[in-house]
Amino acid sequence: MHEIGAVHAASAGFLTEVAGRPVRQVTVALGPDVDADVVDTTWRMATKDSSAADAAVIWTRLDDLLSCLGCGQDFRGTKLDRCPVCGSDGLVIEPAEEVTVVGWLPGN
C-alpha cells in the first residue's frame, strides 16, 4: 500500500500537465516492488473526475539499476536478478521510480 502516495503525486503532476485537455491514452511505468492492482485502483480514483477519466491506461515496468558484486558491471533488473555478465548477485544502486507517467496521447 506504500504506492498510494506515489500514485497521487504522479497523477497530480500529470493532470497539471494536461491542464484539462482531453486524454485518450496514458502510459504509466511502475517500479519492481509496486503492486499493480493497488496502483490501478488508486489511479482510477485519482483521475475519475478529470479529463483523463476515460483514458486507456498502459502499464509498463521500470527496472532498478544494480551493480554486480562479482564483476562490478552495472545492469538493469530487479533486486533478485543476476548479473548478465557473470551471474553474480547485484546491489541496487539506483532504485526505479515507484510510479511515473512516461507518456500520454491527447483525445479528440
Side-chain angles (χ1 to χ4, degrees):
M1 300 291 261
H2 66 279
E3 301 91 345
I4 293 173
V7 174
H8 282 286
S11 65
F14 167 67
L15 293 174
T16 298
E17 180 182 335
V18 300
R21 293 176 292 199
V23 177
R24 177 172 27 118
Q25 177 180 300
V26 59
T27 303
V28 182
L30 310 177
D33 296 326
V34 172
D35 184 326
D37 291 332
V38 171
V39 172
D40 180 57
T41 301
T42 306
W43 179 268
R44 295 191 190 287
M45 293 297 295
T47 61
K48 73 177 180 174
D49 295 324
S50 73
S51 61
D54 296 325
V57 181
I58 297 172
W59 304 105
T60 62
R61 284 287 180 182
L62 291 175
D63 288 329
D64 296 324
L65 180 64
L66 296 94
S67 183
C68 177
L69 297 173
C71 69
Q73 178 72 35
D74 290 348
F75 64 98
R76 293 256 171 217
T78 68
K79 60 186 170 191
L80 298 178
D81 289 340
R82 300 269 181 169
C83 174
V85 175
C86 72
S88 293
D89 290 330
L91 177 67
V92 175
I93 58 172
E94 184 180 304
E97 292 282 333
E98 285 188 313
V99 179
T100 188
V101 175
V102 294
W104 63 280
L105 297 174
N108 296 327

